[in-house]
Amino acid sequence: MATSFSITRSRCSDLTEPHLRNEIHSHTGSEAETSSILRSLERFGQDKSIRYYEMTPTPARRVYHTVPTFTWSVRAVR
């Protein structure tokens, strides 16, 4: 089961893209879900008022449940 996690804005800024990808992937276990979270983080840009990002999973609604997948809500906390 996936669990919520957070990453500080400064950590996101300090990590290179491959390292940030690896950190997020360690929480999601899925390349597709990791890529989706990274796209969401990119949309927030470099807003200095953001303290951290909070990622929350929701089970994806699919007809076939061969592999558990999640959609992730990414929220910027100021």
Side-chain angles (χ1 to χ4, degrees), residues 1-76:
M1 179 70 178
T3 58
S4 298
F5 67 98
S6 62
I7 300 175
T8 63
R9 182 195 50 80
S10 61
R11 181 145 176 85
C12 285
S13 298
D14 292 346
L15 290 174
T16 63
E17 194 277 337
H19 287 104
L20 180 58
R21 178 176 288 279
N22 287 340
E23 182 165 330
I24 293 170
H25 189 271
S26 72
H27 293 281
T28 67
S30 163
E31 280 301 321
E33 294 171 21
T34 297
S35 293
S36 175
I37 290 171
L38 286 169
R39 284 191 304 274
S40 294
L41 293 175
E42 286 176 15
R43 283 193 292 272
F44 284 112
Q46 295 298 318
D47 184 345
K48 302 280 188 206
S49 69
I50 297 171
R51 291 185 300 142
Y52 63 94
Y53 302 99
E54 184 176 85
M55 281 58 85
T56 308
T58 303
R61 296 180 189 158
R62 295 188 177 214
V63 176
Y64 303 103
H65 294 284
T66 57
V67 177
T69 57
F70 298 88
T71 56
W72 290 84
S73 172
V74 179
R75 184 172 73 102

